[in-house]
Amino acid sequence: MPTLPLTLAVITHNEAGSIARCLDSVPFAAEKLVVDSGSDDDTVAIARAHGARVVQQDWLGFGAQRNFASSQCSHDWILVLDADEWLSPELAVELQQRLPELMAGNTPAAYLRRRTIYMGRPMRWYRPNVGEKLARLYHRGRARWSDARVHESLRFDGAAPTLLAAFDHANNPSLPHKQLKVLRYAELKCRDWLDRRKPVRMWQAPLVYLLAFLKDYLFRLAFLDGWRGFLIAQTAASYALYKRMRYYEMVNHPESVADATDLLNKHHIDR
């Protein structure tokens, strides 16, 4: 298959079970780059076996890690996927057709649609998991990632087209995987709040849980996906509540920040 002057960039840590599928789904990329933060499984060996150049970088936080990856790419146009994501055949064909025109112009980025696989099946109704728009294709001279430790976003000026076909996301192999991710993301988000000295508003906590659940379960149509939708909404609401509880603890018991860091690092969660 002819290649295009594009780098597929993936950041990894212990992704041996998924990295091959991710890399193989983009056969037209002239370069595949994996930025690994100290995997102790077979991630690096598998990535190299599937055509990737691997660069080691200690974990910097999601935004900074992605910006580091951008700086290591050989091409200005970059496609970003997580290790548990992969292009559908339809999107791969659409990208090959549209990339030459995008690259020839001044477009800063493009949005891709993401379809989520949850508990082994695609979500059918829950809006964030059906056709969610994410800026994942960009020119590194015209766009960069925010420096947030988690929930980073691609920043750019100007209009960006949206491709029609979707890429797929295996949203956590199991509920234990999801709970570990909740711990990780909450810790990173709370550290961002701590840096900004965000006010503690624990009185909001009960309302936050209720409103987060209702937003996902009713207004984002999770209830139409049955019990899977209920679990999605409950997990999202629990995450919203836990972040505020954990931030309250960080502010009132600063020693807990270092204690939690040691614990999360010990169990390879905090990255």
Side-chain angles (χ1 to χ4, degrees):
M1 180 178 294
T3 60
L4 294 168
L6 170 82
T7 296
L8 167 64
V10 187
I11 58 176
T12 61
H13 178 76
N14 288 346
E15 299 286 357
S18 57
I19 187 61
R21 177 179 57 191
C22 174
L23 295 172
D24 291 348
S25 72
V26 195
F28 54 86
E31 179 186 47
K32 299 176 184 181
L33 173 71
V34 167
V35 175
D36 186 76
S37 57
S39 292
D40 54 16
D41 63 2
D42 292 331
T43 297
V44 170
I46 294 171
R48 287 174 174 153
H50 286 260
R53 176 168 63 91
V54 178
V55 175
Q56 290 290 343
Q57 172 59 50
D58 291 341
W59 184 245
L60 303 170
F62 279 97
Q65 196 81 352
R66 293 201 194 280
N67 282 324
F68 173 81
S70 293
S71 73
Q72 299 299 302
C73 294
S74 300
H75 301 283
D76 286 333
W77 276 96
I78 300 168
L79 171 66
V80 165
L81 293 176
D82 290 336
D84 59 357
E85 298 171 341
W86 66 97
L87 297 189
S88 65
E90 296 80 10
L91 180 55
V93 169
E94 185 178 1
L95 280 168
Q96 290 173 81
Q97 293 172 344
R98 297 189 61 179
L99 274 172
E101 180 181 356
L102 286 173
M103 292 176 171
N106 295 317
T107 302
Y111 290 99
L112 307 182
R113 299 181 185 274
R114 183 167 72 175
R115 175 175 54 209
T116 294
I117 313 297
Y118 183 61
M119 293 189 173
R121 308 196 311 275
M123 297 296 285
R124 297 182 59 198
W125 296 100
Y126 178 52
R127 294 176 65 183
N129 287 176
V130 181
E132 177 186 19
K133 287 173 56 175
L134 299 170
R136 292 294 192 85
L137 176 67
Y138 63 98
H139 187 289
R140 65 178 170 186
R142 303 168 195 157
R144 76 180 304 275
W145 295 92
S146 64
D147 291 322
R149 289 187 176 95
V150 68
H151 303 316
E152 72 287 2
S153 60
L154 190 66
R155 305 291 178 81
F156 56 88
D157 295 321
T162 301
L163 278 71
L164 297 178
F167 68 99
D168 290 309
H169 173 218
N171 184 12
N172 305 299
S174 67
L175 284 176
H177 286 83
K178 178 62 176 179
Q179 294 307 312
L180 291 175
K181 183 177 285 189
V182 164
L183 289 176
R184 174 193 189 195
Y185 281 17
E187 197 72 12
L188 295 173
K189 189 65 177 178
C190 289
R191 289 182 197 172
D192 279 346
W193 288 349
L194 202 62
D195 290 346
R196 302 201 311 264
R197 298 185 179 182
K198 178 179 176 177
V200 177
R201 298 189 178 99
M202 274 301 291
W203 61 269
Q204 295 178 343
L207 289 174
V208 163
Y209 179 87
L210 179 62
L211 292 175
F213 181 84
L214 292 176
K215 179 180 71 174
D216 277 359
Y217 194 64
L218 295 180
F219 299 110
R220 291 181 168 179
L221 306 182
F223 72 96
L224 293 175
D225 277 303
W227 284 113
R228 291 188 305 146
F230 175 85
L231 293 173
I232 286 265
Q234 193 280 331
T235 302
S238 296
Y239 170 61
L241 176 61
Y242 176 76
K243 279 188 298 186
R244 283 152 181 86
M245 295 191 303
R246 176 65 181 127
Y247 184 57
Y248 175 84
E249 181 182 34
M250 283 184 174
V251 172
N252 287 276
H253 181 42
E255 293 83 358
S256 71
V257 177
D259 290 344
T261 297
D262 291 342
L263 178 65
L264 295 172
N265 283 338
K266 180 180 178 181
H267 293 282
H268 302 291
I269 298 171
D270 190 22
R271 64 183 74 189

